[in-house]
Amino acid sequence: MNREPLRRITDEEVERYRADGAVCLRGLFDRDWIEALARDIEADMAAPGPMVRINTPPGNPGLFFVDFQLWRRWPACRDFALNSPAAAIAAALMGSPTISFYHDHLLVKEPGTLEPTPWHHDQPYYPVDGDQIVSLWLPLDPVARETSVEYVKGSHRWGRWFQPRFFKNATDLAVSDPRFEPVPDIDAARDRYVLLGWTVEPGDCIAFHGLTLHGAPGNASLARRRRAYSTRWLGADARYAERVGQISPPIEGHGLVAGDRMECALFPRVWPRPAA
Ligand SMILES: O=C(O)CCC(=O)C(=O)O
């Protein structure tokens, strides 16, 4: 498995991440990563963790399966968090001297799944303030543009925070913040926004900022699964922030207090690489 990205992250990619809030990065992870992660994902779906969510109502076709914190339970996911090229990619995109691993999020849409991923952005779900928060969305299957996640270009720079919602039924999480406002209905006005989205292959990843609005359709393909392993990475400016109410994922036991750097056993520093 490659420990460093298979190629250098270009200045143009860094600029796209910073200006657009989302960038597709091609060909950074070798097949061994994809196969090892795919094995862990099958194991997790057979024996999910305590935060699992099934977003498909009984009787609907397909399955929209979501789980978190696989890295705490499965070896390849743990290796990915601690030793994969992802930390170097996050550091390059955010220009941060240090990176800590925050959490992972598995999203599987089996063939024929109807349920969309509602439009949202991630940071309001988290007890994290700061600008250096990036997700790497890693597909384990080829994903066509029409099945892939879409991003509202530049929305990470709107200075707006939207109310977090459960993916299932798009109901609000019980968390409030004076900054929160309802998520705009992007689908009702798609021509008012520039929407970014890509056809992707295993080995690619899409990097997006914690405040970039994104959403995805169901998986209309009847032949292809859509498995994605999405991981969150924090830079040096990220700080623990107390939130009143429900956060997601509900990671407890870290011992951090407001204003702390997001670095502890549960959010390990992974960049620079610890000396061997
Ligand atoms: O895979 C999806 O449908 C959505 C991904 C997502 O919301 C995320 O990675 O934050």
Side-chain angles (χ1 to χ4, degrees), residues 107 109 117 120 122 137 149 167 208 214 216 226 230 232:
L107 304 109
K109 292 190 180 184
T117 307
H120 67 286
D122 294 340
W137 190 91
V149 182
F167 289 0
F208 58 97
H214 56 285
R226 201 220 66 172
S230 199
R232 326 292 188 193

PDB file of all heavy atoms in Angstrom, residues 107 109 117 120 122 137 149 167 208 214 216 226 230 232, ligand 1:
ATOM      1  N   LEU A 107     -20.417   5.460   3.772  1.00  0.00           N
ATOM      2  CA  LEU A 107     -21.721   5.675   3.129  1.00  0.00           C
ATOM      3  C   LEU A 107     -21.846   4.703   1.967  1.00  0.00           C
ATOM      4  O   LEU A 107     -21.107   4.809   0.980  1.00  0.00           O
ATOM      5  CB  LEU A 107     -21.848   7.107   2.597  1.00  0.00           C
ATOM      6  CG  LEU A 107     -21.620   8.207   3.644  1.00  0.00           C
ATOM      7  CD1 LEU A 107     -20.302   8.916   3.398  1.00  0.00           C
ATOM      8  CD2 LEU A 107     -22.764   9.197   3.647  1.00  0.00           C
ATOM      9  N   LYS A 109     -24.463   3.080  -0.813  1.00  0.00           N
ATOM     10  CA  LYS A 109     -25.776   3.043  -1.470  1.00  0.00           C
ATOM     11  C   LYS A 109     -25.775   1.842  -2.405  1.00  0.00           C
ATOM     12  O   LYS A 109     -25.074   1.839  -3.424  1.00  0.00           O
ATOM     13  CB  LYS A 109     -26.051   4.340  -2.225  1.00  0.00           C
ATOM     14  CG  LYS A 109     -26.233   5.537  -1.290  1.00  0.00           C
ATOM     15  CD  LYS A 109     -26.746   6.771  -1.987  1.00  0.00           C
ATOM     16  CE  LYS A 109     -26.882   7.903  -0.972  1.00  0.00           C
ATOM     17  NZ  LYS A 109     -27.471   9.127  -1.536  1.00  0.00           N
ATOM     18  N   THR A 117     -28.891  11.808  -0.461  1.00  0.00           N
ATOM     19  CA  THR A 117     -28.202  12.417   0.686  1.00  0.00           C
ATOM     20  C   THR A 117     -28.651  13.874   0.690  1.00  0.00           C
ATOM     21  O   THR A 117     -28.365  14.604  -0.273  1.00  0.00           O
ATOM     22  CB  THR A 117     -26.671  12.357   0.503  1.00  0.00           C
ATOM     23  OG1 THR A 117     -26.300  11.001   0.234  1.00  0.00           O
ATOM     24  CG2 THR A 117     -25.960  12.884   1.739  1.00  0.00           C
ATOM     25  N   HIS A 120     -26.398  19.487   2.690  1.00  0.00           N
ATOM     26  CA  HIS A 120     -25.927  19.866   4.035  1.00  0.00           C
ATOM     27  C   HIS A 120     -24.471  20.277   3.920  1.00  0.00           C
ATOM     28  O   HIS A 120     -23.830  20.049   2.886  1.00  0.00           O
ATOM     29  CB  HIS A 120     -26.033  18.674   5.004  1.00  0.00           C
ATOM     30  CG  HIS A 120     -25.088  17.548   4.681  1.00  0.00           C
ATOM     31  ND1 HIS A 120     -25.277  16.680   3.614  1.00  0.00           N
ATOM     32  CD2 HIS A 120     -23.923  17.156   5.260  1.00  0.00           C
ATOM     33  CE1 HIS A 120     -24.289  15.811   3.560  1.00  0.00           C
ATOM     34  NE2 HIS A 120     -23.435  16.074   4.545  1.00  0.00           N
ATOM     35  N   ASP A 122     -20.848  19.972   6.604  1.00  0.00           N
ATOM     36  CA  ASP A 122     -20.517  19.072   7.711  1.00  0.00           C
ATOM     37  C   ASP A 122     -20.180  19.768   9.018  1.00  0.00           C
ATOM     38  O   ASP A 122     -20.462  19.243  10.098  1.00  0.00           O
ATOM     39  CB  ASP A 122     -19.325  18.182   7.318  1.00  0.00           C
ATOM     40  CG  ASP A 122     -19.674  17.226   6.189  1.00  0.00           C
ATOM     41  OD1 ASP A 122     -20.872  16.968   5.975  1.00  0.00           O
ATOM     42  OD2 ASP A 122     -18.740  16.748   5.516  1.00  0.00           O
ATOM     43  N   TRP A 137     -13.387  12.127   0.330  1.00  0.00           N
ATOM     44  CA  TRP A 137     -14.440  11.162  -0.027  1.00  0.00           C
ATOM     45  C   TRP A 137     -13.846  10.186  -1.031  1.00  0.00           C
ATOM     46  O   TRP A 137     -13.509  10.574  -2.151  1.00  0.00           O
ATOM     47  CB  TRP A 137     -15.621  11.932  -0.619  1.00  0.00           C
ATOM     48  CG  TRP A 137     -16.887  11.189  -0.849  1.00  0.00           C
ATOM     49  CD1 TRP A 137     -17.927  11.048   0.028  1.00  0.00           C
ATOM     50  CD2 TRP A 137     -17.300  10.532  -2.065  1.00  0.00           C
ATOM     51  NE1 TRP A 137     -18.950  10.339  -0.565  1.00  0.00           N
ATOM     52  CE2 TRP A 137     -18.596  10.006  -1.842  1.00  0.00           C
ATOM     53  CE3 TRP A 137     -16.702  10.332  -3.316  1.00  0.00           C
ATOM     54  CZ2 TRP A 137     -19.308   9.307  -2.819  1.00  0.00           C
ATOM     55  CZ3 TRP A 137     -17.408   9.617  -4.286  1.00  0.00           C
ATOM     56  CH2 TRP A 137     -18.689   9.120  -4.034  1.00  0.00           C
ATOM     57  N   VAL A 149     -21.611  12.583  -5.491  1.00  0.00           N
ATOM     58  CA  VAL A 149     -21.927  13.731  -4.629  1.00  0.00           C
ATOM     59  C   VAL A 149     -21.727  15.016  -5.444  1.00  0.00           C
ATOM     60  O   VAL A 149     -20.816  15.099  -6.274  1.00  0.00           O
ATOM     61  CB  VAL A 149     -21.006  13.738  -3.392  1.00  0.00           C
ATOM     62  CG1 VAL A 149     -21.365  14.889  -2.460  1.00  0.00           C
ATOM     63  CG2 VAL A 149     -21.093  12.408  -2.649  1.00  0.00           C
ATOM     64  N   PHE A 167     -29.790  12.447   7.760  1.00  0.00           N
ATOM     65  CA  PHE A 167     -30.003  12.098   6.356  1.00  0.00           C
ATOM     66  C   PHE A 167     -31.378  11.442   6.176  1.00  0.00           C
ATOM     67  O   PHE A 167     -32.040  11.649   5.169  1.00  0.00           O
ATOM     68  CB  PHE A 167     -28.913  11.144   5.860  1.00  0.00           C
ATOM     69  CG  PHE A 167     -27.549  11.806   5.714  1.00  0.00           C
ATOM     70  CD1 PHE A 167     -27.351  13.144   6.002  1.00  0.00           C
ATOM     71  CD2 PHE A 167     -26.464  11.066   5.263  1.00  0.00           C
ATOM     72  CE1 PHE A 167     -26.105  13.741   5.852  1.00  0.00           C
ATOM     73  CE2 PHE A 167     -25.212  11.645   5.098  1.00  0.00           C
ATOM     74  CZ  PHE A 167     -25.031  12.982   5.402  1.00  0.00           C
ATOM     75  N   PHE A 208     -13.156  18.086   0.111  1.00  0.00           N
ATOM     76  CA  PHE A 208     -14.047  19.245   0.250  1.00  0.00           C
ATOM     77  C   PHE A 208     -13.974  19.811   1.656  1.00  0.00           C
ATOM     78  O   PHE A 208     -13.704  19.111   2.634  1.00  0.00           O
ATOM     79  CB  PHE A 208     -15.485  18.911  -0.159  1.00  0.00           C
ATOM     80  CG  PHE A 208     -16.140  17.792   0.594  1.00  0.00           C
ATOM     81  CD1 PHE A 208     -16.977  18.047   1.671  1.00  0.00           C
ATOM     82  CD2 PHE A 208     -15.937  16.473   0.234  1.00  0.00           C
ATOM     83  CE1 PHE A 208     -17.594  17.029   2.367  1.00  0.00           C
ATOM     84  CE2 PHE A 208     -16.543  15.442   0.927  1.00  0.00           C
ATOM     85  CZ  PHE A 208     -17.366  15.715   1.998  1.00  0.00           C
ATOM     86  N   HIS A 214     -23.110  20.153   0.224  1.00  0.00           N
ATOM     87  CA  HIS A 214     -23.093  19.023  -0.697  1.00  0.00           C
ATOM     88  C   HIS A 214     -24.299  18.123  -0.480  1.00  0.00           C
ATOM     89  O   HIS A 214     -24.917  18.146   0.582  1.00  0.00           O
ATOM     90  CB  HIS A 214     -21.785  18.229  -0.598  1.00  0.00           C
ATOM     91  CG  HIS A 214     -21.459  17.728   0.784  1.00  0.00           C
ATOM     92  ND1 HIS A 214     -20.982  18.538   1.793  1.00  0.00           N
ATOM     93  CD2 HIS A 214     -21.544  16.483   1.327  1.00  0.00           C
ATOM     94  CE1 HIS A 214     -20.780  17.823   2.883  1.00  0.00           C
ATOM     95  NE2 HIS A 214     -21.115  16.575   2.631  1.00  0.00           N
ATOM     96  N   ALA A 216     -26.352  14.338  -2.525  1.00  0.00           N
ATOM     97  CA  ALA A 216     -26.185  13.302  -3.551  1.00  0.00           C
ATOM     98  C   ALA A 216     -27.532  12.649  -3.831  1.00  0.00           C
ATOM     99  O   ALA A 216     -28.374  12.542  -2.929  1.00  0.00           O
ATOM    100  CB  ALA A 216     -25.175  12.243  -3.090  1.00  0.00           C
ATOM    101  N   ARG A 226     -22.476   1.727  -4.645  1.00  0.00           N
ATOM    102  CA  ARG A 226     -21.767   3.010  -4.504  1.00  0.00           C
ATOM    103  C   ARG A 226     -21.268   3.092  -3.063  1.00  0.00           C
ATOM    104  O   ARG A 226     -21.967   3.548  -2.170  1.00  0.00           O
ATOM    105  CB  ARG A 226     -22.707   4.178  -4.832  1.00  0.00           C
ATOM    106  CG  ARG A 226     -21.957   5.442  -5.195  1.00  0.00           C
ATOM    107  CD  ARG A 226     -22.570   6.695  -4.613  1.00  0.00           C
ATOM    108  NE  ARG A 226     -22.473   6.710  -3.175  1.00  0.00           N
ATOM    109  CZ  ARG A 226     -22.794   7.768  -2.418  1.00  0.00           C
ATOM    110  NH1 ARG A 226     -23.254   8.868  -2.973  1.00  0.00           N
ATOM    111  NH2 ARG A 226     -22.692   7.735  -1.100  1.00  0.00           N
ATOM    112  N   SER A 230     -15.494   8.083   3.683  1.00  0.00           N
ATOM    113  CA  SER A 230     -15.250   9.519   3.783  1.00  0.00           C
ATOM    114  C   SER A 230     -14.547   9.783   5.117  1.00  0.00           C
ATOM    115  O   SER A 230     -15.050   9.381   6.173  1.00  0.00           O
ATOM    116  CB  SER A 230     -16.605  10.241   3.714  1.00  0.00           C
ATOM    117  OG  SER A 230     -16.462  11.593   3.382  1.00  0.00           O
ATOM    118  N   ARG A 232     -12.318  12.574   7.761  1.00  0.00           N
ATOM    119  CA  ARG A 232     -12.238  14.000   8.106  1.00  0.00           C
ATOM    120  C   ARG A 232     -10.896  14.282   8.760  1.00  0.00           C
ATOM    121  O   ARG A 232     -10.482  13.548   9.679  1.00  0.00           O
ATOM    122  CB  ARG A 232     -13.339  14.385   9.092  1.00  0.00           C
ATOM    123  CG  ARG A 232     -14.650  13.649   8.937  1.00  0.00           C
ATOM    124  CD  ARG A 232     -15.369  13.995   7.667  1.00  0.00           C
ATOM    125  NE  ARG A 232     -16.700  13.417   7.657  1.00  0.00           N
ATOM    126  CZ  ARG A 232     -17.475  13.341   6.587  1.00  0.00           C
ATOM    127  NH1 ARG A 232     -17.050  13.777   5.416  1.00  0.00           N
ATOM    128  NH2 ARG A 232     -18.679  12.821   6.655  1.00  0.00           N
TER     129      ARG A 232
HETATM  130  O1  LIG B   1     -21.760   9.920   0.002  1.00  0.00           O
HETATM  131  C1  LIG B   1     -22.701  10.674   0.161  1.00  0.00           C
HETATM  132  O2  LIG B   1     -23.818  10.474  -0.313  1.00  0.00           O
HETATM  133  C2  LIG B   1     -22.542  11.938   0.968  1.00  0.00           C
HETATM  134  C3  LIG B   1     -21.182  12.118   1.544  1.00  0.00           C
HETATM  135  C4  LIG B   1     -21.149  13.105   2.637  1.00  0.00           C
HETATM  136  O3  LIG B   1     -22.112  13.731   2.999  1.00  0.00           O
HETATM  137  C5  LIG B   1     -19.860  13.334   3.313  1.00  0.00           C
HETATM  138  O4  LIG B   1     -18.886  12.634   3.064  1.00  0.00           O
HETATM  139  O5  LIG B   1     -19.819  14.293   4.134  1.00  0.00           O
END
